[in-house]
Amino acid sequence: MKRLLVLGGGTAGTMVVNKLRPRLPRDDWKITIVDTDNVHYYQPGFLFIPFGIYRPDEVVRPRKRFLPSGVDLLLGAVDRVLPDENRVLLADGKDLPYDYLVIASGTAPHPEETPGMQDEEWRQSVHEFYTLEGATALAEKLQSWEGGRLVVHIVEMPIKCPVAPLEFTFLADAFFTEQGMRDRVEITYVTPLDGAFTKPVASKYLGNMLADRKIVLESDFMIESVDPERRVLVSYDEREIPFDLLVTVPLNKGADFIGRSGLGDELNYVPVDKETLLSKRYDNIFAVGDAADIPTSKAGSVAHFEMDLFPDNFLRHIHGLQMTQKFDGHANCFIETGHGKGLLIDFNYEVEPLPGKFPLPGIGPFSLLKETEMNHWGKVLFRWMYWNVLLPGKELPLPALLSMAGKDTEDLP
Amino acid sequence: MPVTTINGRGIHVDDEGFLTVYDEWDEDLGKALAAQIGIDMTDAHWKVIRFLREDFATQFETATTRRVETVGGVPTKEQFKLFPKKPQKKMAYIAGLPKPRGCV
C-alpha cells in the first residue's frame, strides 16, 4: 500500500485530495490529510466582514464536508518533516510515513515580526483582517469609530491575496461615504512597493483610482516598527506616518514546521519548480498553493489553476514518466471597488494584468481592469462557486493557462 | 536591449540601467556603478554586494533585503545606512543584477 500524505486542508490541499482520490486506486493508495482543526474558512470573505457585508458564520464550514470518502482527516499540528526518512512527526508524537508528500500549509500573518505591532494597541487602534478573529474585531471597531486618520498598510511582499488591501481601502472609502462621514476620515495607503500595485499597467489604473477617491499613496515604505504610544508607523529611512486607526497586513510567512524541517526559504516557503511544483531537493515532495515559493500571487485562484494541471503531472511522476503539464502562474482576481462595482485582473508569470474582456474575447461578460457591476456580481457569486464547485474539484469553464485573446496590449511599453 | 559604455566597456543594460548579463560584471564595474549613484564603496558595502553576487549564482534571483538580512547576515537597518532610501534597488544596480522582482 502506497501512502500519499497531504499537509494542510485548506483550498489547495482539499482540491489535491478531491482531484487525486478518484485517480489513485483505493487498493493501492492510502490518502491522509493533516490539519490542526476541522474548520475551513472561505478566506476571500474576511474582507467583507469589517463592513458588515458578510457575517462570520457565512465564511466557515467543517473541513470534513469537502473531503471525499477514502481520505482520512487527521487532526494535529506538524512538528517536522524528516524528508530523508520519508516521515512526518506530529506534535502529539504520531509518526506518519509517506511515499509522496504534498505540502499545502499555506501562508499566515505574523504581526509579532514587526516591533510594536502586537503591543498594547493590538486590536485597539491596530487591526488586521486576515483572520476571522481580526476581521470580526475590526467590524466592531468600525461600528463605533468616529473618524480620523485611517492608514491601510502592507508590511512586506509577498502577501496572501495582494489585491485585498486595495479592496479594503476602496470599500472603506465607500463605507464612510455611505455613513455620511467620509469628510471626517483621512485615508492613506502605505506600501513597500513603488506604486499602488506590483505591475506597471495595473499599478497606474489602481493608482488613479486611489487619487480619484482622495486617498493618499505613500510608497516605498519599509516599516521598521509601530510606535503604539505615539500611534505612528516608523520606516527604516526614518519616515513617520501617524494613524488613529491602522489596518495592517502583517508579514506573511509559510508554516513554521517548514523552517524547522529545513525545507523552506527565508520566509518558510518551499522552493519548487515553478512549472511542476516538485520540490527542488526531494523527488517525492510537492508544494502547492501558497506554501510554494513560485513567483505569482498567493491566492486561491492560483491554487485552482494549479489543480487543473497538477493531477496529471502527479500521476505521470509516480509512474516514473516525465511531467508534461507546465503551470504558467495563471491567476485571476476580482477586486471589489465599492458601491456595488468591481474590477477583474487576469495574469501569469509573464503577462501582467491588462485591460480587455474575460473569458470571451470582446464579449466578457467580465471586464478586465475596469469597474463594472458585472465584476462585482462575479465576486458575489464566487462564494457559492467556491464551496460547491471549486473545493470539490469540479471543472470550471475557464482555461487553466492564460490566454492573450481579449486582452488590450496598447498600454504596454 | 540597450548597450551602454561604462569604464570604456560596452555593457548590456535594461531600460532602467540594470545590467542584464551576469558575467559582464566585475568589481571595478561595481565601483563605477556605485559612483554613478553617489555611493563610495567600503568593506561593508562590498560584503553585501559579494553576498548578492554569490547568492544569485545559485538562486538565479536577486536577494531581497530580508534575504540579505537572514541569509547574508546584514541587518536591514544597516542596508539602509549603506544604500540610503532604496537599498534593494541600489544593491541590485551596483551588483549588476536584475532589479528585484515585485511579485504580483
Side-chain angles (χ1 to χ4, degrees):
Chain A
M1 194 79 161
K2 297 242 188 196
R3 289 152 304 195
L4 167 62
L5 185 59
V6 179
L7 304 181
T11 307
T14 301
M15 282 194 283
V16 165
V17 297
N18 278 311
K19 293 267 187 180
L20 287 180
R21 182 66 284 179
R23 300 179 67 176
L24 293 171
R26 293 192 184 206
D27 295 342
D28 303 338
W29 284 86
K30 180 177 164 60
I31 303 181
T32 305
I33 188 164
V34 178
D35 209 311
T36 50
D37 55 42
N38 185 29
V39 185
H40 190 117
Y41 296 104
Y42 175 61
Q43 296 181 70
F46 290 177
L47 169 71
F48 296 105
I49 287 176
F51 306 105
I53 301 169
Y54 282 174
R55 296 182 315 269
D57 64 281
E58 291 178 289
V59 299
V60 180
R61 299 283 184 273
R63 289 190 201 279
K64 265 190 191 142
R65 187 184 298 178
F66 303 98
L67 301 176
S69 69
V71 171
D72 293 328
L73 173 64
L74 191 62
L75 297 184
V78 176
D79 173 37
R80 68 191 61 223
V81 180
L82 302 172
D84 294 313
E85 299 171 30
N86 298 328
R87 291 192 297 143
V88 170
L89 304 180
L90 299 190
D92 63 9
K94 281 198 192 73
D95 185 340
L96 309 173
Y98 62 82
D99 294 285
Y100 288 88
L101 181 70
V102 176
I103 298 175
S105 42
T107 180
H110 284 263
E112 77 285 359
E113 294 271 0
T114 302
M117 189 177 279
Q118 229 178 4
D119 292 357
E120 65 268 22
E121 286 298 308
W122 183 245
R123 305 252 197 261
Q124 303 298 318
S125 63
V126 178
H127 284 262
E128 56 85 26
F129 61 92
Y130 273 73
T131 61
L132 185 56
E133 189 194 0
T136 309
L138 183 51
E140 266 172 47
K141 177 78 181 180
L142 286 179
Q143 273 182 0
S144 59
W145 196 51
E146 291 181 347
R149 286 166 300 198
L150 167 65
V151 172
V152 183
H153 165 247
I154 300 166
V155 168
E156 187 173 320
M157 298 301 285
I159 57 168
K160 176 156 44 186
C161 191
V163 297
L166 277 168
E167 296 183 276
F168 181 88
T169 308
F170 295 141
L171 288 174
D173 168 74
F175 176 82
F176 294 126
T177 304
E178 282 156 20
Q179 304 278 312
M181 58 183 284
R182 182 63 182 88
D183 57 341
R184 282 184 279 138
V185 182
E186 238 175 73
I187 308 180
T188 307
Y189 188 78
V190 182
T191 170
L193 298 170
D194 59 8
F197 200 56
T198 47
K199 301 287 171 179
V201 177
S203 188
K204 198 181 93 192
Y205 272 76
L206 293 162
N208 289 341
M209 287 175 60
L210 290 175
D212 290 346
R213 288 161 169 77
K214 306 207 167 15
I215 294 160
V216 178
L217 175 66
E218 185 81 26
S219 58
D220 291 307
F221 191 91
M222 287 273 290
I223 190 168
E224 184 175 7
S225 61
V226 177
D227 183 338
E229 220 162 280
R230 293 165 53 230
R231 289 192 190 168
V232 290
L233 302 181
V234 183
S235 71
Y236 280 107
D237 58 0
E238 284 151 21
R239 278 182 280 165
E240 291 196 345
I241 297 176
F243 62 85
D244 297 305
L245 174 57
L246 172 66
V247 177
T248 187
V249 182
L251 180 72
N252 272 226
K253 287 169 76 177
D256 288 338
F257 77 79
I258 292 173
R260 284 197 295 271
S261 310
L263 285 170
D265 65 10
E266 62 278 8
L267 287 170
N268 292 342
Y269 299 122
V270 183
V272 294
D273 178 85
K274 68 179 186 177
E275 293 180 336
T276 63
L277 310 175
L278 181 64
S279 158
K280 285 183 175 165
R281 284 172 56 203
Y282 296 95
D283 202 43
N284 61 343
I285 299 181
F286 289 87
V288 297
D290 296 347
D293 77 335
I294 58 174
T296 185
S297 287
K298 300 212 170 289
S301 161
V302 170
H304 159 222
F305 290 122
E306 283 174 359
M307 284 311 132
D308 284 342
L309 309 173
F310 171 76
D312 281 353
N313 276 343
F314 184 83
L315 289 170
R316 291 183 66 86
H317 188 67
I318 60 175
H319 290 110
L321 300 170
Q322 200 185 349
M323 294 185 274
T324 51
Q325 303 276 1
K326 295 188 188 316
F327 183 57
D328 66 349
H330 190 195
N332 51 47
C333 311
F334 288 109
I335 305 177
E336 276 294 289
T337 56
H339 305 295
K341 289 190 176 176
L343 209 77
L344 179 66
I345 56 175
D346 187 55
F347 53 95
N348 70 7
Y349 292 140
E350 305 299 330
V351 179
E352 63 176 292
L354 295 170
K357 292 283 185 183
F358 183 87
L360 300 175
I363 297 171
F366 301 114
S367 304
L368 296 169
L369 262 185
K370 192 177 165 209
E371 280 184 85
T372 67
E373 287 180 11
M374 182 58 90
N375 289 339
H376 164 72
W377 287 110
K379 179 129 186 163
V380 171
L381 286 173
F382 186 72
R383 185 164 56 107
W384 183 89
M385 303 258 285
Y386 180 83
W387 297 123
N388 294 287
V389 182
L390 209 68
L391 280 187
K394 294 178 191 156
E395 297 301 319
L396 270 182
L398 293 177
L401 301 176
L402 180 128
S403 162
M404 282 308 287
K407 290 194 174 54
D408 180 356
T409 54
E410 71 181 26
D411 281 0
L412 282 176
Chain B
M1 197 72 75
V3 178
T4 186
T5 307
I6 302 170
N7 281 0
R9 284 173 21 206
I11 306 289
H12 291 84
V13 294
D14 70 9
D15 296 339
E16 294 176 87
F18 289 83
L19 263 67
T20 53
V21 182
Y22 181 86
D23 292 327
E24 285 181 353
W25 187 92
D26 60 23
E27 295 202 352
D28 279 346
L29 184 63
K31 207 174 157 189
L33 290 165
Q36 287 194 341
I37 54 171
I39 288 174
D40 193 13
M41 297 293 284
T42 65
D43 289 348
H45 291 90
W46 283 118
K47 184 185 171 195
V48 175
I49 298 302
R50 284 171 192 146
F51 167 74
L52 279 164
R53 292 288 301 178
E54 285 163 22
D55 191 62
F56 188 89
T58 57
Q59 304 296 315
F60 309 106
E61 251 172 59
T62 306
T64 58
T65 47
R66 173 165 297 273
R67 189 169 171 86
V68 173
E69 173 171 289
T70 55
V71 184
V74 181
T76 307
K77 190 77 182 169
E78 195 185 331
Q79 296 175 47
F80 270 85
K81 279 201 190 113
L82 295 169
F83 306 94
K85 301 283 179 201
K86 296 188 180 184
Q88 191 146 336
K89 273 189 196 164
K90 288 184 177 174
M91 295 184 306
Y93 180 80
I94 296 168
L97 300 174
K99 186 176 142 182
R101 183 189 60 197
C103 282
V104 177

